[in-house]
Amino acid sequence: MTTNKIISTITEKLIKYPNIKFELTNDNELNIFKENDNGFDICIQTADRENTMHFDNFHWHYDNNEEETNEMLDQLIFALTGISR
């Protein structure tokens, strides 16, 4: 999946959930805002070499390959569903 495709794929899915507020900063950065004080903001940044996902002040780096991109997307789902805290 190309770097631009990652962000567009995520936003296509998020649009289906009006309770999830997000902002597309640019083609390579997406901000997803916490729903309440018990949550955390998420920022996803994509680049040619690696992708980064921030949960408030904590972040992970993912190589830009299929395996690590899928891992990042899984972690995003876990965060949005409350599995990751």
Side-chain angles (χ1 to χ4, degrees):
M1 183 179 306
T2 64
T3 58
N4 288 347
K5 183 77 172 145
I6 293 168
I7 298 291
S8 64
T9 298
I10 295 169
T11 55
E12 287 170 14
K13 303 291 184 196
L14 291 177
I15 288 171
K16 298 176 185 178
Y17 302 92
N19 60 314
I20 300 176
K21 305 297 181 211
F22 65 92
E23 175 184 66
L24 186 60
T25 306
N26 58 52
D27 289 343
N28 299 315
E29 186 172 318
L30 173 67
N31 291 297
I32 305 169
F33 303 105
K34 63 184 173 186
E35 189 172 342
N36 56 52
D37 289 340
N38 294 325
F40 47 85
D41 292 332
I42 300 169
C43 177
I44 299 170
Q45 299 169 315
T46 60
D48 290 333
R49 213 176 100 214
E50 70 177 8
N51 304 308
T52 308
M53 185 164 54
H54 302 260
F55 290 176
D56 273 339
N57 295 324
F58 187 79
H59 68 278
W60 288 278
H61 294 269
Y62 299 90
D63 288 339
N64 200 357
N65 60 47
E66 185 176 353
E67 181 181 346
E68 292 208 13
T69 297
N70 287 335
E71 182 180 334
M72 180 180 73
L73 295 174
D74 287 345
Q75 287 296 329
L76 176 60
I77 292 168
F78 296 157
L80 292 173
T81 58
I83 295 171
S84 291
R85 293 192 49 85

